[in-house]
Amino acid sequence: MAAVYGGGPDDSEEMVKRVLVTGSSGFIGRHAVPELVRLGYEVHAVNRRPSPPATGVFAHEADLLDAGQTGDVVRHVKPTHLLHLAWYAEHGKFWTSPLNLDWVAASTGLFKAFVEHGGTRAVFAGTCAEYDWSGDGPLHETATLSNPRTLYGVCKNALRQVVQTYGQQAGTSVAWARVFFLYGRDEHPNRLIPSILRPLLAGQPAVVRSGAHVRDLLHVRDVAGGFVGLLDSDVTGTVNIASGDATTLGDVAREAARLIGREDLLTVERQAATPENPGRIVADAARLRREVGWAPRYDLRSGLRDVVESLRRPL
Amino acid sequence: MAAVYGGGPDDSEEMVKRVLVTGSSGFIGRHAVPELVRLGYEVHAVNRRPSPPATGVFAHEADLLDAGQTGDVVRHVKPTHLLHLAWYAEHGKFWTSPLNLDWVAASTGLFKAFVEHGGTRAVFAGTCAEYDWSGDGPLHETATLSNPRTLYGVCKNALRQVVQTYGQQAGTSVAWARVFFLYGRDEHPNRLIPSILRPLLAGQPAVVRSGAHVRDLLHVRDVAGGFVGLLDSDVTGTVNIASGDATTLGDVAREAARLIGREDLLTVERQAATPENPGRIVADAARLRREVGWAPRYDLRSGLRDVVESLRRPL
């Protein structure tokens, strides 16, 4: 593997893998960046606000919703690789926010600038919400129809079509990663896992409403590992980043309660499924494992244990 | 019908239909604008370059690829209606140009600003290139799959998904017009009809290569009439703007040659169909006729005669 900042004679410019990471301080990005550094990438992180310095990472301040600022950063860095994780992601609001339209515009502009300045390999964060959720089987990259029901899913899916087609035409290698249900340290307290763990740890009762719903959960570090592995591969097209394991949310909550020893405080309800919140969302995760060679480091129990630890620490 | 600039007591602000037209000096736009004026719309035309003054039309100079300029115009005009015809359209280049990405970004931004400033009704120019062209039947708005093969078609189709979903969510009425093969005065000389008519009128031989290909042709004034009728209706979703008539390009050329009296100079070849240039592209045009109440004013013969006249004039 080539040294990143080296100056030796074998260390030609061509060898450097220079990756521009958007959303690098986000939930996935903050785990992806150190893995990219470890793999020898010269990492350029774009953030709207100044971020704390990190070893081996060049920080760039830019608002990606401003086409001029985006162009400036790409022109300056001339990345060979792009890992585009940034998007509007405010809990509860991102499904319907008009800002989804801004991120379509920002992302097409970013990708066009990336291609124009010689970029060769790009990975984008898509979502399982691009799939048709009305079926029963595992959601498969090509066998399952794309049929998003939300503005968020529609905007991601529309961007996918544009960047996949333009990448193919321009000779730029593109992979589109569809993320399923992720969890991990420092999640928004209203999201499923913290909404169970936090009250239980405080000796308060916790309720899971959709206890019979089957989901595909993956620890955020494994999601980040999937993105990095995918970026570092030459796999193109759509790739699910998921465990492939089907778990009911009731079982997830019970496992969490067991780890804390407060199963007595947990109530599992069985709300009916709706088209927006269907009974089953599970990935076919074979592509990521077989073609990228990725494997998760956490199973559900060890992943939950990691989150419990992080929540116990401040107490 | 409300007077446009009137100040009478019955002429309340609510009655004014204030339409922002993009691409108003383009091939379709220049025919759509006078029809909108005739229908009583207060027409605001956006163009990148200064345009000659036209009766009943407010001209605005802005580069729609600049989000700031677009926002300024929308904020200033506060249109109730939007007719978005502008796109990159350079003959021969638009199918694959990276500028298609810029127009996706520009159009999402324009529509978002339109909704934010109280817009209630928008019509967008889509294309028959959004359809799957591999079938044999007439291309139908909902029964035929969307499966574009070109960057142009993919970008239009991606934008369609975004604006239809956001319009539905925001309560803004949206129609997406899919345009088929249009012709008329002042076309690019390399396009089919002028490429036959011009040499024949000059006494030179003309050749049609894809003479067996079946297409759906419509005179640009009827296309413009379709857009205006659609905008003035409350029909939503995707609507083909087309004749619904199947004609071989050989028959089109022979008709044109007959009008000029130079059938002797015409050669009709029968090039094989390809996926990019399939044997048959014909619309199911029932929706526009039935739901909008539109009817064409030209048939193929009178439409061609109109073009021949315009080409004879400067001689």
Side-chain angles (χ1 to χ4, degrees), chain A residues 51-92:
Chain A
S51 47
T55 312
V57 179
F58 295 90
H60 302 269
E61 239 178 281
D63 180 359
L64 294 174
L65 295 182
D66 181 315
Q69 292 186 36
T70 302
D72 285 347
V73 168
V74 174
R75 202 173 308 115
H76 177 70
V77 173
K78 292 193 178 50
T80 57
H81 289 60
L82 171 65
L83 179 55
H84 183 36
L85 302 170
W87 198 270
Y88 176 69
E90 198 175 339
H91 179 73

Side-chain angles (χ1 to χ4, degrees), chain A residues 40 72 108 121 140 216 229 234 249 275 299:
Chain A
D72 285 347
T108 54
R121 169 72 174 161
H140 183 275
D216 184 319
D234 53 10
L249 296 185
D299 59 14

Side-chain angles (χ1 to χ4, degrees), chain A residues 148-191:
Chain A
R149 296 184 61 93
T150 57
L151 186 59
Y152 171 69
V154 166
C155 285
K156 285 277 190 180
N157 193 47
L159 174 65
R160 178 184 63 77
Q161 296 164 54
V162 171
V163 298
Q164 285 182 341
T165 305
Y166 182 50
Q168 208 152 28
Q169 183 188 293
T172 304
S173 171
V174 172
W176 184 268
R178 282 182 170 163
V179 178
F180 280 65
F181 296 83
L182 67 179
Y183 68 95
R185 298 179 172 217
D186 306 318
E187 262 189 290
H188 191 286
N190 290 355
R191 283 174 57 91

Side-chain angles (χ1 to χ4, degrees), chain B residues 93-146:
Chain B
K93 294 190 178 171
F94 72 90
W95 291 109
T96 56
S97 171
L99 286 167
N100 283 298
L101 273 71
D102 293 331
W103 279 101
V104 171
S107 305
T108 53
L110 169 65
F111 184 54
K112 184 166 168 262
F114 173 71
V115 171
E116 276 169 1
H117 290 93
T120 58
R121 170 72 175 162
V123 171
F124 291 82
T127 165
C128 64
E130 294 167 52
Y131 283 114
D132 188 317
W133 281 353
S134 63
D136 269 337
L139 300 169
H140 183 275
E141 289 92 342
T142 52
T144 305
L145 220 63
S146 297

Side-chain angles (χ1 to χ4, degrees), chain B residues 4-249:
Chain B
V4 175
Y5 311 115
D10 297 333
D11 219 340
S12 69
E13 181 68 19
E14 281 80 356
M15 298 291 292
V16 175
K17 294 187 285 186
R18 195 183 300 115
V19 65
L20 188 70
V21 183
T22 72
S24 65
S25 60
F27 193 42
I28 300 172
R30 77 183 80 127
H31 298 290
V33 164
E35 294 212 34
L36 286 164
V37 172
R38 210 172 305 131
L39 283 183
Y41 280 81
E42 181 183 309
V43 177
H44 294 260
V46 203
N47 285 293
R48 214 174 356 167
R49 287 175 288 265
S51 47
T55 312
V57 178
F58 295 90
H60 302 269
E61 238 178 281
D63 180 359
L64 294 174
L65 295 183
D66 181 315
Q69 291 186 36
T70 302
D72 285 347
V73 169
V74 174
R75 203 172 307 117
H76 177 69
V77 174
K78 291 193 180 52
T80 57
H81 290 59
L82 171 66
L83 180 55
H84 182 38
L85 302 170
W87 199 270
Y88 176 70
E90 198 175 338
H91 180 75
K93 294 190 178 171
F94 72 90
W95 291 109
T96 56
S97 171
L99 286 167
N100 283 298
L101 273 71
D102 293 331
W103 279 101
V104 171
S107 305
T108 53
L110 169 65
F111 184 54
K112 184 166 168 262
F114 173 71
V115 171
E116 276 169 1
H117 290 93
T120 58
R121 170 72 175 162
V123 171
F124 291 82
T127 165
C128 64
E130 294 167 52
Y131 283 114
D132 188 317
W133 281 353
S134 63
D136 269 337
L139 300 169
H140 183 275
E141 289 92 342
T142 52
T144 305
L145 220 63
S146 297
N147 186 22
R149 296 184 60 93
T150 57
L151 186 59
Y152 171 69
V154 166
C155 285
K156 285 277 191 181
N157 193 48
L159 175 64
R160 178 184 63 77
Q161 296 164 54
V162 172
V163 298
Q164 286 182 342
T165 305
Y166 182 50
Q168 208 154 28
Q169 184 188 293
T172 303
S173 171
V174 172
W176 184 268
R178 282 181 171 164
V179 179
F180 281 65
F181 295 84
L182 68 180
Y183 67 95
R185 298 177 173 219
D186 305 320
E187 260 188 292
H188 191 286
N190 289 355
R191 281 172 59 92
L192 178 74
I193 306 285
S195 78
I196 300 162
L197 293 180
R198 282 168 180 268
L200 295 185
L201 282 167
Q204 304 290 328
V207 183
V208 180
R209 309 243 174 251
S210 306
H213 284 49
V214 178
R215 294 291 181 267
D216 184 318
L217 273 86
L218 190 61
H219 190 284
V220 63
R221 280 211 197 95
D222 285 329
V223 174
F227 269 100
V228 171
L230 183 55
L231 183 74
D232 204 46
S233 77
D234 53 9
V235 173
T236 59
T238 304
V239 181
N240 290 335
I241 295 200
S243 69
D245 299 328
T247 322
T248 69
L249 296 184

